[in-house]
Amino acid sequence: MPMKVLEATVSTFDGVFQQFTSEAANNKANFILFYADKEPSTNLSWCPDCVRAEPVIYKKLEEAPGNVALLKAYVGDRPTWRNPQHPLRVDPRFKLTGVPTLIRWENGSVKGHLEDHEAHLEKKIDALLSED
């Protein structure tokens, strides 16, 4: 099934998240991927774990049965993300500690998540996909 992807930055996150949650009931599964910004010189994320995880996550979500929605939230450049007071780090809904973080969002809360060191593992993504 086609995957619907929304993208947000730190400054647009709240508005895009509101749209994402308002459409969540239309999808079999809803995911949020917190991801490091891309370096303009390489067009690759500054975060090696993000570069490694992104193609695996997209592959698995695109293969999933039913409608899947993904909100890809860019957390900023390295200095912005490193700030302990980063708005997405201190957001009580997500409790982010690293990127990439893949969250399954269901009924207004986090149903499950994969953090930086495991977000590229196909078996872990499959388990997150199959949670019912």
Side-chain angles (χ1 to χ4, degrees), residues 38-53:
K38 294 180 179 179
E39 294 283 356
S41 59
T42 63
N43 205 31
L44 293 174
S45 171
W46 56 258
C47 163
D49 289 337
C50 292
V51 172
R52 179 175 58 171

Side-chain angles (χ1 to χ4, degrees), residues 92-131:
R93 295 172 293 190
F94 310 116
K95 300 180 180 79
L96 295 181
T97 58
V99 288
T101 295
L102 180 64
I103 288 176
R104 180 158 181 169
W105 187 261
E106 204 170 283
N107 300 320
S109 65
V110 174
K111 168 83 175 185
H113 72 283
L114 298 175
E115 294 182 347
D116 48 5
H117 62 282
E118 60 189 358
H120 68 286
L121 300 173
E122 290 193 29
K123 287 182 180 177
K124 297 266 189 174
I125 298 167
D126 286 340
L128 195 61
L129 271 164
S130 66
E131 286 186 7

